[in-house]
Structures are given as structure tokens and as C-alpha cells.
């Protein structure tokens, strides 16, 4: 009899793949960076703070606007054009020599700052706010006190953030749209946004007219905010992204919306990280440069600006403080120590919060003693990105309760410990074309 062939062994199942420790860490980091837009309250604070600082500055300088940035400026428009041609900075003011164009740009900067502070159409207003800031500041670069540089940078970073998640008219509109949907998809209600569509179309036509006119600074791949990316590509890209977001919300509510929402969360968190690093670099470089100065080394640096008439809005107060040598030495050395140490204390929550309070008090004293309110407001706003969330939510609840007690029509006020109503319930609901 023929021998039977031996049975072939049963195929073995492959062993399950085990992730390495590095792969698990990368996965956790990616999920953390894309699962939600981080620090909604902190980004709301810096949105309100920087827009309010710029708005107050523009309103204060309203009587002098033509001398600072307009046709009456000693730094003429021709000189500004030659400088802009050399440093390739962007500004819309060189597009026309007319007084009406300057007045329109200045007024637009005021309106954009006010609406961004209120949180109305924050995506669009953040772009217009950026254009207003860089256009006016690049027109006359010799005007400023240091805070203008901070606002200049932060205005560009805010464009990439979801700074209207809380404490904004956008958040309130999103909540009302979700409530009106009555359990259905809240984004569907937000997608029927006629004012947003009109605003988006008008801005697109205005940008197209400027592009066709060949105005200064509107290049595609040269002299933009990033290497090989011009301002035309940036502005058209933002305009197209807003339209794409609206179209996805309305016609593709499934996986395309999830992908686009993940990308926007990643952009928000990345911009937030850049803002935090920027603040740390400001303090670190300022502290280390102070260490190299002889007046900071001998503890007398604070004495001299307090005895300059230009920086003494309250001469009696400056004289009282400046006459105390021990106090001057403590303030001088304390300023250097706090600025150098702050970036190294971010991972110690208690110590970071203590230094944060010290720095805010320092900037308040600069505003009062040296007469630099807008510089101080800009720096305090930048510091606010490190404020604890628990403190901000507590403050929001208290302010919300106070508002309801003052303006409610006899209705019961919300308990003080409740969360404010301005928190968005989910990332997709209520987003509109330019909201």
C-alpha cells in the first residue's frame, strides 16, 4: 500500500505587533495635539487683550493719526516705500497716496480690533486685525515702545488659533444654533449663514481687485511671512480655507469634516506652542542682556529712567521710590532674576504662578511709573497665556454671575461655581464660513 503523505502543519498565526515605547509616546503626543483645541480660555484672553490694546492705542492717537501714519508724517510715503522695498515688509498703505485711503485703512483697523475683541467672526477679524496691525506699523517703523513688536508678532499667530471658542459672540451664536437644531446636527444650522457668505464674497472681491491692480506686496512666492510664500498666497489661502471649511460643513459632514477639524486643531495647538515659546524667548533674552549691562550688575539700572522727565508721568511718586537705594537695588536685581528664571519654572506650577504674578505686577508698575501703558498691556496679555485654567474658569463664573445679577430681569442667577455658558460643546458645531 502506498504510504500517506504527512499532513502539513497548520499555519501559525502571526504574533501580534507590539508597539515600542517610542511609538506609543509619539501616538499619545499626536492624539493629545489633535484631539482638541487646547487652552480655549487662554487664547480668548490673548485675543481680547491684544485687540483691546491695539484698539485703545488707535483711539488715543486718533487726533494724531495723520502725523503718525498718514500723509502729514515726517516719514513720508515715498520714504516708506523705499524702506519697504528694501526690507520687503507688507503694508496696504502704499497702495494709494490719497487721504481717503489712509482714513479708510485706519478706520478698518479700529473696527477689526473692536470686533475681534468682541469675538464676532473671529476667523475673519483675526486676518483683518493682522493686516491692520502690520500695515500701520510697517508704514512708520520708528513709532513704538516695544509693545508694538509683541502685537505685531501675536497678530499673525492669532490667525492660526481658535481664539473664539469661549468669551465671544461666535461661541454664543454657536450655542444658540445648536439649541435651535433641537438635537440635530448643529453644524447644519451654522452652515446656513448668509451674513458670513456675503462677508466672505465681499472680501474675496476686494482681494481680487487688489491683486489685479498689481498693488505693492501682493506677490505669490517672494517676500512673504515665510520663505518662498508670498502674501498673495497667504491671503488667498486663508480665504479659500474659510470657503472650504464652510463647504465641508454643509456638504461633507463625515470623514472630510473630521480630517479638516483635526488639521485646524493641530494648527491651533502649534500656534499656541509658538506663542508660549515666543514669550519665553522675550523674557530669556531680556534677562540675559540685562546681566551683561554694568548698571544692572551694580543694581542702579532702574534709578535712571525714573529720573527722566519723559518717563515720569507722576514725578512725586518716582522721586519717592527712586530716593530709596535699597528698594532700587531690590527691584533691579529682582527684575533680572525673574526674567531669567521664568522659562525654567514652567514645569513647576506653583513657582510659575508666583513668578507670573510678580511679572504682571512689574508691568503694572512700568505702566504707572514710566508712563508706558500700551507696552505693559501687551506684555501682561502675553503673560496671560500661562494663566491657570482653574483661575480663568473661576473668574468667568464670577463675572457671569455678576452680569446676570445686574442685567437679568428677575430670573434666578446661575450658581457661582457653574461653568460659563460660552464654552462650545463640540468642535464641529456652530462653525460658519467666516465665524
Amino acid at each position: 500500500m502506498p504510504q500517506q503523505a504527512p499532513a502539513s502543519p497548520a499555519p501559525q498565526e502571526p504574533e501580534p505587533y507590539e508597539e515600542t515605547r517610542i511609538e506609543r509616546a509619539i501616538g499619545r503626543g499626536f492624539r493629545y495635539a489633535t484631539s482638541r483645541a487646547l487652552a480655549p480660555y487662554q487664547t480668548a484672553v490673548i485675543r481680547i487683550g491684544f485687540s483691546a490694546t491695539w484698539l485703545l492705542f488707535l483711539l488715543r492717537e486718533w487726533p494724531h493719526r495723520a502725523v503718525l501714519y498718514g500723509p502729514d508724517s515726517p516719514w513720508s510715503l515715498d520714504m516708506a516705500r523705499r524702506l519697504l522695498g528694501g526690507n520687503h515688509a507688507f503694508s496696504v498703505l502704499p497702495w494709494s497716496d490719497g487721504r481717503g485711503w489712509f482714513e479708510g485703512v485706519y478706520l478698518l483697523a479700529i473696527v477689526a480690533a473692536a470686533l475681534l475683541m468682541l469675538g464676532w467672526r473671529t476667523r475673519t477679524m483675526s486676518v483683518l486685525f493682522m493686516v491692520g496691525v502690520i500695515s500701520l506699523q510697517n508704514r512708520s517703523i520708528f513709532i513704538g515702545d516695544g509693545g508694538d513688536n509683541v502685537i505685531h508678532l501675536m497678530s499673525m499667530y492669532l490667525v492660526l488659533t481658535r481664539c473664539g471658542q469661549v468669551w465671544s459672540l461666535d461661541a454664543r451664536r454657536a450655542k444658540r444654533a445648536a439649541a435651535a437644531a433641537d438635537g440635530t446636527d448643529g453644524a447644519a444650522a451654522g452652515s446656513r449663514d448668509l451674513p458670513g457668505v456675503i462677508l466672505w464674497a465681499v472680501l474675496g472681491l476686494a482681494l481680487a481687485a487688489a491683486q489685479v491692480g498689481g498693488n505693492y506686496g501682493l506677490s505669490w512666492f517672494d517676500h512673504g511671512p515665510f520663505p518662498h510664500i508670498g502674501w498673495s498666497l497667504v491671503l488667498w489661502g486663508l480665504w479659500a480655507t474659510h470657503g472650504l471649511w464652510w463647504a465641508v460643513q454643509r456638504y461633507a459632514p463625515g470623514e472630510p469634516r473630521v480630517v479638516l477639524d483635526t488639521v485646524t486643531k493641530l494648527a491651533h495647538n502649534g500656534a499656541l506652542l509658538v506663542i508660549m515659546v515666543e514669550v519665553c524667548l522675550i523674557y530669556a533674552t531680556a534677562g540675559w542682556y540685562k546681566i551683561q549691562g554694568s548698571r544692572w550688575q551694580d543694581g542702579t539700572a532702574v534709578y535712571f529712567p525714573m529720573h527722566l522727565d519723559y518717563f515720569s508721568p507722576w514725578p512725586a511718586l518716582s522721586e519717592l521710590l527712586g530716593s530709596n537705594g535699597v528698594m532700587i537695588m531690590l527691584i533691579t536685581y529682582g527684575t533680572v532674576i525673574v526674567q531669567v528664571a521664568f522659562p525654567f519654572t514652567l514645569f513647576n506650577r506653583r513657582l510659575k504662578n508666583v513668578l507670573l504674578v510678580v511679572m504682571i505686577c512689574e508691568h503694572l508698575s512700568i505702566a504707572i511709573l514710566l508712563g508706558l501703558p500700551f507696552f505693559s498691556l501687551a506684555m501682561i496679555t502675553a503673560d496671560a497665556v500661562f494663566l491657570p485654567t482653574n483661575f480663568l474658569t473661576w473668574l468667568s463664573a464670577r463675572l457671569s454671575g455678576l452680569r446676570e445679577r445686574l442685567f437679568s430681569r428677575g430670573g434666578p442667577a446661575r450658581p457661582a461655581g457653574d461653568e460659563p455658558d460660552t464654552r462650545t460643546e463640540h468642535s464641529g458645531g456652530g462653525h460658519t464660513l467666516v465665524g
Side-chain angles (χ1 to χ4, degrees), residues 327-349:
M327 183 63 68
I328 290 294
M329 183 186 66
L330 292 177
I331 295 176
T332 302
Y333 288 148
T335 299
V336 176
I337 293 172
V338 169
Q339 290 184 350
V340 173
F342 179 73
F344 301 99
T345 63
L346 295 181
F347 298 101
N348 188 315
R349 182 175 301 178

Side-chain angles (χ1 to χ4, degrees), residues 75 77 79-95 130-142 149 152-153 156 215-219 222-226 229-232 235:
W75 187 254
L77 190 58
M79 298 170 66
R81 282 175 175 148
R82 289 200 294 269
L83 179 62
L84 292 173
N87 61 15
H88 306 298
F90 179 76
S91 176
V92 301
L93 288 176
W95 291 1
M130 175 192 69
V131 172
V133 168
I134 63 179
S135 294
L136 291 173
Q137 290 186 354
N138 289 336
R139 165 64 175 84
S140 298
I141 63 173
F142 303 106
N149 294 327
H152 193 110
L153 292 172
M156 292 187 284
N215 288 305
Y216 166 82
L218 291 179
S219 60
D222 293 317
H223 312 315
F226 305 102
I229 297 178
W231 280 104
S232 288
L235 295 176

Side-chain angles (χ1 to χ4, degrees), residues 287 290-291 293-306 324-340 362:
K290 286 181 174 66
I291 289 177
S294 59
R295 293 293 176 263
W296 291 96
Q297 293 175 5
D298 59 25
T300 61
V302 177
Y303 173 85
F304 297 99
M306 293 181 63
N324 191 326
V326 176
M327 183 63 68
I328 290 294
M329 183 186 66
L330 292 177
I331 295 176
T332 302
Y333 288 148
T335 299
V336 176
I337 293 172
V338 169
Q339 290 184 350
V340 173
E362 173 191 338

Side-chain angles (χ1 to χ4, degrees), residues 5-309:
S8 59
Q12 297 181 353
E13 295 182 359
E15 296 183 359
Y17 176 75
E18 294 185 2
E19 293 181 334
T20 63
R21 182 178 302 176
I22 296 179
E23 290 174 334
R24 287 194 297 270
I26 293 175
R28 286 194 300 268
F30 182 78
R31 287 191 297 271
Y32 181 77
T34 59
S35 60
R36 60 192 178 96
L38 301 172
Y41 288 94
Q42 286 82 353
T43 50
V45 169
I46 62 177
R47 182 201 85 228
I48 295 171
F50 284 121
S51 57
T53 302
W54 181 242
L55 175 62
L56 292 174
F57 174 78
L58 295 179
L59 292 177
R60 190 195 70 170
E61 301 301 339
W62 176 265
H64 316 290
R65 62 191 184 281
V67 177
L68 295 178
Y69 302 111
D72 299 336
S73 173
W75 187 254
S76 67
L77 190 58
D78 290 336
M79 298 170 66
R81 282 175 175 148
R82 289 200 294 269
L83 179 62
L84 292 173
N87 61 15
H88 306 298
F90 179 76
S91 176
V92 301
L93 288 176
W95 291 1
S96 174
D97 297 331
R99 178 68 177 257
W101 174 250
F102 162 73
E103 298 288 356
V105 172
Y106 198 93
L107 185 60
L108 178 63
I110 291 177
V111 172
L115 293 179
L116 182 63
M117 181 181 64
L118 296 174
W120 186 80
R121 312 286 174 177
T122 51
R123 289 193 181 113
T124 300
M125 291 307 127
S126 64
V127 177
L128 295 179
F129 175 74
M130 175 192 69
V131 172
V133 168
I134 63 179
S135 294
L136 291 173
Q137 290 186 354
N138 289 336
R139 165 64 175 84
S140 298
I141 63 173
F142 303 106
I143 298 174
D145 53 13
D148 57 312
N149 294 327
V150 178
I151 297 176
H152 193 110
L153 292 172
M154 297 302 175
S155 67
M156 292 187 284
Y157 301 151
L158 279 175
V159 173
L160 300 177
T161 64
R162 284 184 169 182
C163 54
Q165 295 182 94
V166 297
W167 297 344
S168 67
L169 296 178
D170 286 348
R172 187 176 69 172
R173 187 176 69 249
K175 182 180 179 180
R176 290 180 176 178
D182 194 20
T184 60
D185 187 2
S191 63
R192 297 187 296 270
D193 182 36
L194 183 59
V197 173
I198 294 175
L199 181 59
W200 180 78
V202 169
L203 292 177
L205 291 175
L207 183 58
Q211 191 75 55
V212 172
N215 288 305
Y216 166 82
L218 291 179
S219 60
W220 290 97
F221 302 105
D222 293 317
H223 312 315
F226 305 102
H228 309 296
I229 297 178
W231 280 104
S232 288
L233 191 59
V234 170
L235 295 176
W236 280 114
L238 292 171
W239 182 82
T241 301
H242 289 171
L244 176 64
W245 179 253
W246 176 82
V248 167
Q249 288 287 95
R250 186 175 179 85
Y251 300 109
E255 185 174 349
R257 180 194 297 178
V258 175
V259 173
L260 193 58
D261 189 60
T262 301
V263 173
T264 57
K265 290 174 183 175
L266 186 61
H268 167 93
N269 296 331
L272 182 65
L273 177 62
V274 171
I275 292 173
M276 297 170 69
V277 172
E278 187 74 38
V279 175
C280 291
L281 288 175
I282 290 174
Y283 283 115
T285 54
W288 286 107
Y289 272 114
K290 286 181 174 66
I291 289 177
Q292 302 174 43
S294 59
R295 293 293 176 263
W296 291 96
Q297 293 175 5
D298 59 25
T300 61
V302 177
Y303 173 85
F304 297 99
M306 293 181 63
H307 287 77
L308 296 175
D309 294 337

Side-chain angles (χ1 to χ4, degrees), residues 377-389:
L377 281 175
M379 291 308 304
I380 290 173
T381 302
D383 296 340
V385 74
F386 296 106
L387 286 175
T389 301

